[in-house]
Amino acid sequence: MKVGEYLQGKMVFLLLDGVGLILLLCFLLICGVTPAFIAVLYGGIFLFTALYLAVDYLVLKRRLAQLENLLASLPERYLAGEVLPVPAGGVERCYYRVMKSVSASAIDAAETARREKEEYMEYVERWIHELKTPLTACSLILANQGSLCRGQVCQVAGRCAREIRRADNLTEDILYYARLRSADRDIRAVRFSAGRLLEEAVKRQMEILIAAKIRVELTGDFTAYGDEKSMSYMVQQLLVNAAKYCPGCRILLRAEGNRIVVEDDGIGVPSHELERITDRGFTGTNGEKFPNSTGMGLYVVKRLCEKLGIGFTVESEAGRYTRFTFSL
């Protein structure tokens, strides 16, 4: 708190004090008190008043600093009313009771909102798992009957398989988005082969890659330790993006050292948008060409990498290439 702000709060006191001093001066002059005595008296009054204001300001400033430190130590500031020290003054105790009431109300509202959010997210996760069951069953049925179909029927079955794969990808997207709040608790760390992980990711998205005429090359391998399922999802997300935004391109998947690299020779990303492509909801210039773009895919990938302690970088040049690197 600045001195000017403090004096502004004491304005009523200073005005009344000034009026009182003027009335006192008039009374002393009427009584014939000598100017020397009046000067000494007023000098003492001004000194005492200045001393009182200085001490009061320092005490108040110290109390405010303690309150600011208390607020800074709280995880949520609406909890302040629960930990504020009980003041000594009568007016301050009234404010204190108001703060306690407001804080209690805020805590109840925040707890209710948190509980409802948790219940909603749990329901969404259960719903997604239930939805994935018939999708998986349809995929298996189409795969088993694929060798029996002929001609136009086979083409219809292929299109159905692609649409089911897209629907399955969408359920994976919302599932991992819902899990972002607890990704650190859902980690299942295992030892896995990076090369095999890339192969499985390509196989899972084969229908979509073939439909988009994507050429895929895989090289290298190394043994890693981490959440294989999440890592596979993130690679698949990049494959789906490539099929969506740059059909007909070539994708190179490399597993080298402790890095997994996903690189395509597609449309690339403009340099001024490169730092924002992992922002939530950002679609950019390329996304404007596709009405179904949500700008959530790379955001989820970036957040998952942060939760799992995986380095994630993006390099790109418009019209030439885009390179994603995971450092495990």
Side-chain angles (χ1 to χ4, degrees):
M1 181 176 62
K2 297 180 180 179
V3 176
E5 294 173 334
Y6 171 77
L7 293 177
Q8 186 177 5
K10 294 289 185 178
M11 189 61 65
V12 175
F13 167 78
L14 293 174
L15 288 174
L16 292 177
D17 189 52
V19 172
L21 289 175
I22 292 172
L23 294 175
L24 177 61
L25 177 60
C26 294
F27 176 76
L28 292 174
L29 291 175
I30 293 172
C31 293
V33 178
T34 61
F37 179 80
I38 294 176
V40 173
L41 177 63
Y42 271 68
I45 293 175
F46 282 125
L47 180 61
F48 178 79
T49 303
L51 182 61
Y52 162 76
L53 292 174
V55 172
D56 186 59
Y57 169 73
L58 292 175
V59 171
L60 185 58
K61 185 176 180 181
R62 182 181 178 183
R63 290 178 60 190
L64 290 176
Q66 291 174 343
L67 288 177
E68 289 177 356
N69 292 333
L70 180 63
L71 287 176
S73 66
L74 293 175
E76 300 293 345
R77 294 203 168 192
Y78 59 78
L79 298 172
E82 301 301 307
V83 296
L84 286 176
V86 180
V91 176
E92 289 184 342
R93 282 198 295 270
C94 292
Y95 281 115
Y96 172 77
R97 288 193 292 270
V98 172
M99 280 295 300
K100 289 280 289 184
S101 176
V102 171
S103 180
S105 177
I107 290 173
D108 289 343
E111 185 61 27
T112 300
R114 185 197 63 78
R115 183 173 60 253
E116 290 177 352
K117 178 183 176 182
E118 289 294 325
E119 292 173 353
Y120 172 75
M121 298 305 287
E122 289 175 2
Y123 169 75
V124 168
E125 288 192 30
R126 290 197 301 269
W127 179 83
I128 293 168
H129 283 298
E130 292 294 328
L131 179 62
K132 286 177 69 67
T133 301
L135 290 176
T136 302
C138 290
S139 296
L140 292 174
I141 292 172
L142 288 172
N144 292 334
Q145 298 298 321
S147 58
L148 303 178
C149 64
R150 293 291 185 276
Q152 194 172 18
V153 175
C154 188
Q155 292 179 6
V156 173
R159 291 179 61 185
C160 288
R162 288 195 298 272
E163 295 306 316
I164 289 174
R165 171 52 56 192
R166 289 192 178 95
D168 190 58
N169 288 340
L170 291 173
T171 60
E172 285 285 308
D173 290 344
I174 193 172
L175 180 60
Y176 274 93
Y177 179 67
R179 286 178 176 173
L180 283 178
R181 75 191 194 283
S182 59
D184 49 348
R185 300 198 302 269
D186 296 333
I187 294 174
R188 298 293 181 271
V190 296
R191 190 178 299 278
F192 63 91
S193 164
R196 183 176 60 82
L197 180 145
L198 295 178
E199 291 177 2
E200 292 299 322
V202 172
K203 287 180 181 178
R204 283 185 59 84
Q205 303 300 329
M206 186 64 72
E207 296 92 350
I208 290 177
L209 294 173
I210 291 175
K213 299 179 180 179
I214 301 288
R215 306 182 307 280
V216 180
E217 298 180 18
L218 294 89
T219 61
D221 189 17
F222 65 88
T223 301
Y225 190 79
D227 192 337
E228 181 180 15
K229 187 175 180 180
S230 294
M231 190 69 240
S232 176
Y233 163 77
M234 291 188 287
V235 172
Q236 291 180 59
Q237 180 64 49
L238 299 182
L239 294 176
V240 172
N241 278 0
K244 181 189 298 184
Y245 295 113
C246 45
C249 73
R250 179 179 66 91
I251 299 177
L252 176 60
L253 302 176
R254 300 198 309 271
E256 51 186 21
N258 67 333
R259 300 185 305 160
I260 290 178
V261 180
V262 181
E263 181 177 349
D264 65 67
D265 59 359
I267 57 178
V269 180
S271 58
H272 64 279
E273 296 180 355
L274 192 57
E275 293 185 357
R276 300 180 58 197
I277 62 173
T278 56
D279 290 350
R280 185 178 184 273
F282 180 76
T283 56
T285 305
N286 295 331
E288 294 175 357
K289 305 173 185 177
F290 301 88
N292 294 329
S293 296
T294 63
M296 295 298 294
L298 291 180
Y299 166 76
V300 173
V301 170
K302 177 68 173 180
R303 287 290 307 278
L304 274 177
C305 286
E306 292 172 352
K307 294 281 188 179
L308 300 175
I310 298 173
F312 180 66
T313 58
V314 185
E315 304 168 76
S316 184
E317 184 176 338
R320 295 192 59 187
Y321 74 92
T322 303
R323 182 186 302 121
F324 303 91
T325 304
F326 299 95
S327 300
L328 281 69

